Structure formats: C-alpha cells, structure tokens
Amino acid sequence: MAEPTLTISYAGFKVEVGYFLGLGYDENAWSAPDAQNIRGIIRQAYRQFLYPPLQPGESKQHVWSFLRRAGVLNAWPNLAGTVSGSPTYDADTGLSTVTVTAAKFVDSVTSHNLKFGTSGTSYAIKTFVSTTQVKVTGDASGEAAGQAYTVTANGNYDLPDAFGSLDGPITFQPGDLYTDLLIVGEGEIRRRRVVDTTATIPVYAAIRPKSSDGSTGQRFELLIWPTPDASYTLDYAYYLNPDDLTDANPYPLGGNAYGECLLASCLAVAEQKSHDAVAQHTMRFKELLAAAIARDKSSQRPNVYGSLNPTVSEGRIVRHASWLPANVVVATI
C-alpha cells in the first residue's frame, strides 16, 4: 500500500529543521556535527509529541489512541520434555542454544530456569527462539543429548519489550467461559501465593516493573495467581513505548493527521536549543497539540457507554448496558 503523499517522513522533518537552523535543505551539505544535532532535535521533539505535557484544565496527561496495541500472552503450566541433541555454546554471546523434541516453548518462557534431568543443573532462559528452541545463559554444551528437562512455572511472565502500561481488562480467549482477571497490586499476588500454591485457573493479575542494571530499558512482567494448571491464552491491550524515527523506519505513529503537530514540535525544540528562547514555534506547537489532542479524544469516544450484553426482546436482539435494568434498551440492532 502506497503511503499517503501528505505524510511527513523522517527525511521531511530533517530538512525542515536543517533549513530553520540556516543549514539549507540539502542534508548532504551538512557537517557531521550538524546532522547529529538535527537527529537529536527530532528525537527530543518526537518524545515531546508522544508524551505531551498536562493540558490546561485537565487532571491527567493525554495518552494517544495510536499507541494502543493488542497483546496475547500464553500463561503456561510446568513444562517438561526431552532435549534433542546436545546444546551448543556461543562464547561471543555467552549463550547456549537448547533444542527440544516437541513444541513446548512460548515467548513468555524467558526469565525462567530450564533444568536438565540428568545433571540437575539449571540455566536461566534468556531468549525465546521458537516453540522447540531457546537460548540459555552460560555454557550448557556439556549436557548430554536426549535427557529430560523441566521448566517450572511460577506465575510470572515477561511482557513485550515495548510494553508501557496496561489498558483495560485481561481476558481469556473467546469460548473460554472464565471471568476477566481481576487487576490487583503485586503485593496482593505475593500474599495469596503464600497462603495457597494450588495450580488452577488464574483469577488475579498484577503488573510489576522488572529490576534492571541499565543494560536494557525498563521492562515489565505479568504476575498471575493461581499459577496455571494448564495452558491459558490471555488477551489484553497495552500502550507501547515506541521506537525512534530513522531512515529505515521513517514514518511517525499517528499518521499524517498529526504530522503538522510533530513538525511544530521539531521546530519548537530547534528554536529552544538554537536561540535558548520560547518563541513563535513553541506557541504554534502548543496550539496544534491542543487541537491534535481534541481530535484524538473525539476519535476514541464510544457510541454506547457501559458493558454490552445481547438479550432478546420481542423477537429482536438488542444491546443494553449491563448496569442498566434489562428492559432499558439504548441501542437496537
């Protein structure tokens, strides 16, 4: 599909900032320090646009609807099987590749330990490769081929690297007649794990930031209780932490409807850094940002409020809000 011609790409932002700084439109004529400065300005401007300041009269920061993504997580029980061949070790990465005979692994298996049955040695799973292959930390090449392995579930599952925050409920798959997981504080999950370790259908969930030494950005994990007694597929929505604009990935999130606002953000940052002043481009960005937020709020407004459940009334299927009496019809199909 062709990109709409009104879309402003990364190249367009660069040349507009370059012209504003008096460097001209030809980026090939810019010095390396100037090009680096322009990249930094656009990066800062993109962050300023994606995470806008609190608007006048508002009690909370606006979150763009285009940052919302659908997520799927497999909440798995204890895994067990047989290793296929001996693990191979890569000294450059410090990781060993472990291949198993049957498809058991899912992407949320990272941060758990794989234990070999013969040696009894456990290795931390670093990377999910496929349903039959993972990479573990350390040299596991000495482990014998064909031995049993286990991965013990603890109810903690890594969320996507780009996960920023949860949006809405965590639900089971269509056809699984289980209620939504109740979102609680992670302390409540820990408390319940102390008093009951029985594996069964998950009921509670919590989001917890993972500890980090700074070698990677902030990551999050999902904690559920009880620990699953079987494999359950969970659906959820989240707001992502986006990647930077680059020549290889030049199109900003939101599309061309917000391109002029982002351009104004770029010129506002350039204005502040080059002139050390808040002037016309900063004011222009504030105006366009307010309009963009209003547009985004309008696009998110639902037609019907409340939880909708189908009921039959006089031979017709109707929708009604669950918090209203059943005979109050607010929309008819």
Side-chain angles (χ1 to χ4, degrees):
M1 178 179 176
E3 195 67 30
T5 55
L6 279 178
T7 299
I8 307 177
S9 68
Y10 182 51
F13 295 121
K14 284 194 292 184
V15 297
E16 291 293 343
V17 172
Y19 182 79
F20 174 81
L21 295 176
L23 302 174
Y25 282 120
D26 184 6
E27 64 176 297
N28 294 318
W30 302 340
S31 68
D34 285 336
Q36 181 66 27
N37 181 45
I38 290 172
R39 285 192 291 270
I41 287 172
I42 296 173
R43 185 179 298 112
Q44 182 178 341
Y46 196 29
R47 286 195 300 266
Q48 177 177 253
F49 166 72
L50 290 173
Y51 305 104
L54 188 67
Q55 297 298 291
E58 297 290 341
S59 60
K60 59 182 180 180
Q61 184 184 32
H62 182 69
V63 181
W64 300 106
S65 62
F66 51 77
L67 294 182
R68 195 174 189 266
R69 295 292 183 273
V72 178
L73 185 140
N74 188 309
W76 43 272
N78 295 337
L79 305 179
T82 305
V83 176
S84 174
S86 296
T88 57
Y89 177 62
D90 184 344
D92 292 333
T93 63
L95 301 177
S96 296
T97 300
V98 180
T99 304
V100 299
T101 58
K104 292 290 184 73
F105 300 136
V106 295
D107 54 1
S108 56
V109 77
T110 52
S111 300
H112 291 76
N113 292 327
L114 185 148
K115 182 177 181 179
F116 290 95
T118 301
S119 68
T121 305
S122 295
Y123 298 84
I125 300 175
K126 178 68 173 180
T127 307
F128 166 80
V129 179
S130 70
T131 57
T132 59
Q133 195 172 85
V134 293
K135 294 182 184 292
V136 301
T137 302
D139 185 358
S141 60
E143 298 290 343
Q147 64 177 300
Y149 76 90
T150 55
V151 180
T152 302
N154 59 8
N156 299 346
Y157 305 96
D158 285 351
L159 289 165
D161 289 348
F163 180 93
S165 62
L166 186 67
D167 178 47
I170 299 175
T171 61
F172 289 86
Q173 288 275 287
D176 290 341
L177 302 180
Y178 308 126
T179 58
D180 302 350
L181 297 188
L182 182 63
I183 308 300
V184 298
E186 63 95 14
E188 179 66 16
I189 299 291
R190 289 188 282 105
R191 188 185 70 79
R192 290 182 175 274
R193 287 176 176 176
V194 170
V195 299
D196 190 350
T197 59
T198 304
T200 185
I201 302 167
V203 177
Y204 295 95
I207 304 295
R208 182 170 67 183
K210 300 190 66 174
S211 60
S212 172
D213 60 4
S215 59
T216 63
Q218 181 62 63
R219 302 290 187 264
F220 295 86
E221 60 184 344
L222 179 70
L223 282 60
I224 63 175
W225 180 89
T227 300
D229 61 339
S231 181
Y232 298 97
T233 301
L234 304 175
D235 293 323
Y236 63 97
Y238 68 99
Y239 290 105
L240 84 160
N241 291 320
D243 290 325
D244 192 14
L245 296 177
T246 65
D247 290 325
N249 299 288
Y251 298 111
L253 297 177
N256 56 9
Y258 303 98
E260 201 66 28
C261 183
L262 178 51
L263 176 57
S265 180
C266 292
L267 297 180
V269 173
E271 177 180 73
Q272 293 160 21
K273 295 187 73 172
S274 62
H275 304 319
D276 195 24
V278 174
Q280 60 177 342
H281 290 292
T282 299
M283 296 300 103
R284 176 64 172 163
F285 170 61
K286 290 181 178 180
E287 293 174 358
L288 291 177
L289 179 62
I293 289 175
R295 175 191 175 91
D296 194 50
K297 285 183 176 180
S298 177
S299 70
Q300 297 181 64
R301 187 175 297 125
N303 293 323
V304 178
Y305 293 87
S307 175
L308 302 179
N309 297 312
T311 60
V312 177
S313 175
E314 298 179 356
R316 297 176 301 164
I317 296 178
V318 300
R319 290 176 177 162
H320 68 273
S322 62
W323 43 268
L324 293 174
N327 63 339
V328 178
V329 178
V330 296
T332 302
I333 298 177

